[in-house]
Amino acid sequence: MEIELRSDTFTLPTPGMREAMFQAPLGDDVFGEDPTVNALEAKVAKMFGMEAALFCVSGTQTNQIAISVHLSKGQEVICDELSHIYLYEGGGIMANAGASVKLLKGDLGRLSRSQIEAAISPDDIHACESRLVSLENTVNKGGGSVYSSESLQEISDFCRQANIPLHLDGARIFNAMSVTGQTPSQFGAWFDSISVCLSKGLGAPIGSVLVGSHAFIKKARRVRKRLGGGWRQAGLLAAAGIYALDYQVERLKEDHARAAAIAKICANLPWVDSILPVVTNIVIIRLKEGITANEQVAALKAKGIRCAPFGPQYIRFVTHLNFDDVALAAFETQINQ
Ligand SMILES: *Cc1c(COP(=O)(O)O)cnc(C)c1O
């Protein structure tokens, strides 16, 4: 069988989700009159203990809007060198916000308070003003690594003292919470803005939500419109998001168990050099010297297993709701063929 592990974005809407989409009451969201979009935004804001939320087309859009609202032209965001906002958003920090970036090298993509503190530009006219810190959790390129509560509390305390806003790229924030037991309201207290993807492990077809203060979301709504992201009867999609939050969060731990199983199955294969620590739904494998990612991806594709190249020497598997125990058993058979 064909086994899809390139990304947790390959999930398809479940029957219950499709039914919820079909039934959703709709209106024009640019006029603020789509009841289902309004319900999703209110639900996510309340969940995170934030004042307001904005439903957007993608996680790239929510991150880019947040960066554009927090930063003025010529200022900088501090983030890890593995960050999605830097690597995978088309140069948007510069192109959309006219801003610069200061890259730090963290532990599997996770920054510490002391690193951030040391990176803040001095109050000097030669320097680029550091006006935003952005964290990612889980860290995609860090193999799905998660932040501890202690670390987040320290970073948040520092940013408050320094009066620098703190943004979270929480594309997989529910995966992180599933492992650590942290709650959305803790994240709402630590961060000034959070981007939450509904279309990754949660299994909605489209959409991300940005949460923050009333004043922040009001500005964000204007930036979204400017980017052409004002949408009309988007309640069809918001309904899928509400359904995902109600019924498809608890099951994320199954994805984590299957990712751990994949790592175990792969540990002794001849082409595997090492595997990054697996704590959530991402498995990043370093290939043995002399094997390229493209070669290995093609070899696995020939066995019916789809994965993604992740740099010249790495490949990535991501588990998700369409990868069940039957698929896991098939994975083990097919990879050993
Ligand atoms: C997927 C992802 C995003 C957003 O991606 P979109 O495809 O634009 O929704 C942002 N950050 C991280 C870490 C991601 O993995």
Side-chain angles (χ1 to χ4, degrees):
M1 71 185 267
E2 169 95 351
I3 297 167
E4 181 56 78
L5 292 166
R6 281 176 292 175
S7 175
D8 45 5
T9 53
F10 280 88
T11 54
L12 296 173
T14 52
M17 181 179 280
R18 287 176 194 257
E19 185 59 27
M21 294 170 76
F22 187 74
Q23 298 290 347
L26 304 175
D28 189 331
D29 182 54
V30 170
F31 287 81
E33 292 179 15
D34 187 300
T36 311
V37 170
N38 292 341
L40 172 67
E41 292 176 346
K43 182 182 179 72
V44 180
K46 181 159 182 256
M47 189 182 265
F48 282 85
M50 292 280 211
E51 288 174 358
L54 183 68
F55 183 42
C56 294
V57 72
S58 68
T60 299
Q61 194 177 63
T62 43
N63 281 333
Q64 288 299 318
I65 289 172
I67 292 165
S68 296
V69 172
H70 286 304
L71 292 181
S72 299
K73 200 167 121 186
Q75 299 177 331
E76 73 178 11
V77 51
I78 293 173
C79 65
D80 188 272
E81 63 181 5
L82 301 181
S83 299
H84 193 281
I85 60 164
Y86 170 66
L87 290 176
Y88 300 125
E89 299 189 3
I93 295 170
M94 178 275 292
N96 296 321
S100 185
V101 60
K102 189 178 276 164
L103 297 175
L104 306 181
K105 195 181 188 66
D107 166 30
L108 294 173
R110 292 165 300 189
L111 300 179
S112 67
R113 172 194 165 127
S114 56
Q115 265 184 308
I116 293 168
E117 195 168 353
I120 303 289
S121 298
D123 183 10
D124 176 323
I125 58 162
H126 296 84
C128 183
E129 273 183 289
S130 311
R131 289 304 312 152
L132 179 63
V133 173
S134 180
L135 308 183
E136 188 172 308
N137 193 24
T138 69
V139 185
N140 176 26
K141 269 223 136 176
S145 57
V146 303
Y147 275 89
S148 70
S149 298
E150 294 69 34
S151 182
L152 291 172
Q153 186 67 53
E154 282 176 19
I155 293 170
S156 176
D157 288 346
F158 168 73
C159 288
R160 292 268 147 83
Q161 280 162 23
N163 194 27
I164 294 177
L166 182 59
H167 173 71
L168 176 64
D169 176 355
R172 296 189 179 83
I173 185 65
F174 282 94
N175 296 84
M177 290 189 285
S178 167
V179 170
T180 61
Q182 294 153 344
T183 63
S185 58
Q186 282 181 289
F187 281 90
W190 286 322
F191 289 88
D192 297 288
S193 57
I194 305 175
S195 162
V196 180
C197 283
L198 303 170
S199 64
K200 295 261 166 84
L202 297 188
I206 295 174
S208 286
V209 180
L210 182 62
V211 291
S213 68
H214 281 305
F216 173 83
I217 293 296
K218 188 172 176 203
K219 290 180 192 160
R221 201 174 285 281
R222 183 186 296 272
V223 175
R224 187 188 66 172
K225 189 77 181 83
R226 184 191 298 149
L227 295 173
W231 47 13
R232 305 296 179 179
Q233 286 72 21
L236 283 171
L237 301 170
I242 292 171
Y243 185 91
L245 291 166
D246 285 343
Y247 300 107
Q248 297 183 169
V249 171
E250 199 47 39
R251 56 157 307 286
L252 289 172
K253 55 182 184 290
E254 297 174 28
D255 296 345
H256 301 169
R258 292 189 190 107
I262 285 180
K264 207 166 162 214
I265 291 165
C266 292
N268 295 314
L269 293 174
W271 45 268
V272 173
D273 176 78
S274 54
I275 305 177
L276 294 193
V278 176
V279 285
T280 53
N281 68 330
I282 298 177
V283 182
I284 296 182
I285 296 181
R286 184 179 167 84
L287 304 170
K288 283 250 167 78
E289 217 52 56
I291 305 172
T292 69
N294 287 338
E295 282 166 3
Q296 192 55 41
V297 167
L300 289 171
K301 190 177 174 203
K303 297 180 181 206
I305 297 170
R306 305 300 305 271
C307 65
F310 227 50
Q313 205 61 32
Y314 293 88
I315 61 169
R316 184 188 75 166
F317 296 110
V318 189
T319 58
H320 51 76
L321 66 81
N322 296 132
F323 179 75
D324 57 12
D325 282 335
V326 174
L328 177 62
F331 174 88
E332 180 158 26
T333 308
Q334 288 169 218
I335 207 161
N336 285 307
Q337 265 161 12

